[in-house]
Amino acid sequence: MHSFLRRRSTNGGGCFDRSGLTSCGASRKKWQGVSVGDINADGWDDIFISSGMSFPFRYGINSMLLNNRGEKFLDSEFLLGVEPRQTSYTPWFVMDCTNPAVLGPLGQVVCQGQTQKVTVSGPKSSRSSVVFDLDNDGDLDIVTNDFNSAPMVLISDLAQQKKIHWLKVVLVGTKSNRNGLGATVRVHSGGQTYTRYNDGKSGYLSQSVLPLYFGLGDISKIDSIEVAWPSGRKQVLSKGLTDNQTLKITEPDK
């Protein structure tokens, strides 16, 4: 399996690709921040789990769990380039060792043999994440919020590696709220029904963009779309539906 997530530098240093060699996962005692989205556009929702509150004590491994057609989730963070990170540590604080006599016991240990300011680093850890199509190429990307560090931006190149089928739905409410929050959208395609709830959330303490994303797998024909609006109105669309587009649906007046 080839990597389709590449890491993008947040300091202007460019981006690079990573391919993993193993699908082993890592256990953890604490994690925080779950984001759900169809990362490989196969019609099955996958899960990204940020590593949690391990900073500054230990390195936190982020988990990328691919949904194996509803049977089980596969640890894929190393295969897809989510892990390992380019650097494992981030600056924590600066210890002034110019006068060790005024430091406490811990400061004296840190400053042992040092007579200048020392930067103390801690292992990286992601607190939360969002999943959305950042570069608008049809596949989903991941952005994390890291402790004491710049965000990690993971750009998927799945759409460049293979032909994928997807649909984005933007809801515009009239009687309901303007973003259609609380609506249920069902896409019927190739004998399958894909359901999304427009709840507006994306990860712990995080907010993504609002278009609902549907991965369609190998299916390119969309038969119909049903929308159940918060107002109680029902809407069905069945004409002019194509894949690989962002479809704007406005709540009907009646």
Side-chain angles (χ1 to χ4, degrees), residues 234-253:
K234 308 292 183 182
Q235 185 176 8
V236 179
L237 295 83
S238 57
K239 296 182 179 180
L241 301 177
T242 60
D243 65 338
N244 295 4
Q245 68 161 320
T246 299
L247 181 63
K248 183 178 179 180
I249 302 178
T250 301
E251 183 180 14
D253 293 332

Side-chain angles (χ1 to χ4, degrees), residues 200-253:
K201 64 182 180 62
S202 178
Y204 173 70
L205 294 179
S206 304
Q207 176 59 55
S208 183
V209 292
L210 288 177
L212 298 174
Y213 180 89
F214 295 83
L216 302 175
D218 296 326
I219 301 171
S220 59
K221 183 179 183 296
I222 298 173
D223 302 313
S224 64
I225 300 175
E226 299 178 28
V227 183
W229 293 92
S231 63
R233 293 172 179 169
K234 308 292 183 182
Q235 185 176 8
V236 179
L237 295 83
S238 57
K239 296 182 179 180
L241 301 177
T242 60
D243 65 338
N244 295 4
Q245 68 161 320
T246 299
L247 181 63
K248 183 178 179 180
I249 302 178
T250 301
E251 183 180 14
D253 293 332

Side-chain angles (χ1 to χ4, degrees), residues 30 50 63 74 82 106 147 156 217 230 238:
K30 294 182 179 180
S50 55
S63 290
L74 304 176
V82 174
L106 179 58
F147 281 98
S156 172
S238 57

Side-chain angles (χ1 to χ4, degrees), residues 45-106:
D45 277 341
D46 310 300
I47 301 175
F48 181 85
I49 305 176
S50 55
S51 52
M53 301 179 67
S54 55
F55 174 84
F57 306 107
R58 62 182 178 84
Y59 179 80
I61 295 177
N62 294 307
S63 290
M64 182 70 255
L65 305 178
L66 291 185
N67 189 334
N68 186 22
R69 304 186 63 82
E71 296 181 1
K72 62 180 179 179
F73 287 94
L74 304 176
D75 286 304
S76 305
E77 56 271 11
F78 289 94
L79 281 173
L80 301 185
V82 174
E83 295 287 351
R85 307 180 196 222
Q86 185 178 16
T87 57
S88 301
Y89 289 86
T90 183
W92 183 11
F93 62 89
V94 176
M95 178 72 72
D96 188 353
C97 299
T98 57
N99 187 9
V102 301
L103 300 174
L106 179 58

